[in-house]
Amino acid sequence: MRQFGILVKNELFMLFVSPATYVTTVLFHLLTASFYILILADYTDIPSEDIPMVVFFRLFWTVALFVAPLLTMRSISEERRLGTLQTLMTTPTTTTQFVLSKFFSVYALYMLLWLSTLLYPVLVSIAVPGLGQQIPLLDPATIVGGFLFLSLSGLLIISVGIFSSSITRSVMVAAIFSFTLLFFIIASGGLIEKLADNMPGRIDFLDGPAEYLRMFQHLEDFIHGILDTRPFVYYITGAGVFLALSTIIVDAKVDS
């Protein structure tokens, strides 16, 4: 356990001194701040039943598709490219500890970036004092539900990035593969539903998987205070599967 803690601290340090992390952070805030400003602008022109933070959370997928691959693409592929993976494995470190340290360090950064978006409504309230009286900028229930979903789905999203980074030496290939895999995972519920609708006759048995995998519906449930055990099982199990695969792949690469 002590060795794992040292690995996580080292990975966090490496992330915070890496220029790529700051480039990704700038991209993250450019995307999220632009979204938030546009949402507020639309809300002031045409008031909506949904508060701005609800609409903001619904755009999480854009950030996940572009930012998560950038955060994870170097995690293992860079170690393989530089030839430090075999050296690291000669220390008293297990492959599982190595993979999990990569995962938890990137996951912590991912969630830190999302938590920093709470500054947006605060800054808007300070810059435009009267706007907070016209528009509900902060709703505790929505924020708690939204961040609970982000933290839960983030387990799967970051584990997919770690897995993608474990299969190649190229950071670009890792980023592209992660982007593609995340796209299909995020869209899988809708794709299965469309497949069922477009096939001859109604295929009822596909309704269950489509609902189970529909990430956007999970988000809607969380931000409206509806909690179900199925999303917890889905994201935690999915993350476990991808991390287990990453461990197996790293083991194979070290032995080869």
Side-chain angles (χ1 to χ4, degrees):
M1 195 65 185
R2 180 174 175 273
Q3 182 68 21
F4 177 69
I6 293 172
L7 284 172
V8 172
K9 288 179 183 178
N10 181 66
E11 290 299 329
L12 286 170
F13 174 77
M14 295 304 295
L15 279 173
F16 282 107
V17 299
S18 171
T21 299
Y22 293 95
V23 172
T24 305
T25 300
V26 170
L27 174 62
F28 174 89
H29 283 294
L30 282 176
L31 281 172
T32 53
S34 298
F35 289 154
Y36 192 74
I37 291 170
L38 290 173
I39 290 167
L40 287 182
D42 287 342
Y43 199 94
T44 53
D45 292 337
I46 306 175
S48 171
E49 293 182 359
D50 295 318
I51 65 174
M53 284 304 293
V54 168
V55 183
F56 179 75
F57 283 130
R58 286 173 181 161
L59 297 172
F60 85 97
W61 62 273
T62 308
V63 180
L65 281 177
F66 289 98
V67 173
L70 292 177
L71 288 175
T72 57
M73 65 182 183
R74 295 177 179 273
S75 55
I76 298 176
S77 60
E78 188 79 352
E79 300 275 8
R80 290 182 58 195
R81 187 180 68 83
L82 296 175
T84 56
L85 181 58
Q86 284 77 6
T87 304
L88 184 61
M89 289 296 103
T90 61
T91 64
T93 302
T94 65
T95 308
T96 301
Q97 288 176 333
F98 170 75
V99 171
L100 289 179
S101 67
K102 296 287 185 180
F103 169 76
F104 281 113
S105 58
V106 178
Y107 177 75
L109 177 59
Y110 177 79
M111 288 309 302
L112 181 62
L113 289 175
W114 275 114
L115 286 170
S116 67
T117 61
L118 286 174
L119 289 173
Y120 297 163
V122 174
L123 292 174
V124 168
S125 299
I126 295 172
V128 189
L131 189 61
Q133 300 175 356
Q134 303 173 21
I135 302 174
L137 297 176
L138 287 169
D139 177 62
T142 299
I143 290 173
V144 170
F147 275 98
L148 180 57
F149 169 80
L150 290 175
S151 62
L152 193 59
S153 63
L155 295 172
L156 178 58
I157 289 168
I158 299 302
S159 67
V160 167
I162 297 295
F163 168 73
S164 301
S165 184
S166 71
I167 63 176
T168 178
R169 294 175 181 270
S170 170
V171 294
M172 291 306 298
V173 172
I176 293 169
F177 186 74
S178 177
F179 176 93
T180 306
L181 194 53
L182 283 173
F183 175 81
F184 281 107
I185 289 173
I186 292 172
S188 58
L191 292 174
I192 293 174
E193 186 179 29
K194 282 190 175 182
L195 176 65
D197 291 339
N198 292 330
M199 292 185 73
R202 180 65 185 167
I203 306 179
D204 294 332
F205 74 88
L206 289 177
D207 291 342
E211 184 178 356
Y212 187 77
L213 299 174
R214 196 175 292 125
M215 198 174 281
F216 294 105
Q217 186 58 52
H218 299 163
L219 171 63
E220 291 295 325
D221 290 342
F222 274 81
I223 59 181
H224 290 99
I226 303 171
L227 299 182
D228 191 354
T229 56
R230 288 176 295 178
F232 286 85
V233 173
Y234 171 56
Y235 294 117
I236 294 173
T237 304
V241 169
F242 280 108
L243 291 175
L245 290 173
S246 302
T247 303
I248 293 170
I249 291 170
V250 171
D251 255 335
K253 297 301 180 183
V254 171
D255 293 338
S256 61

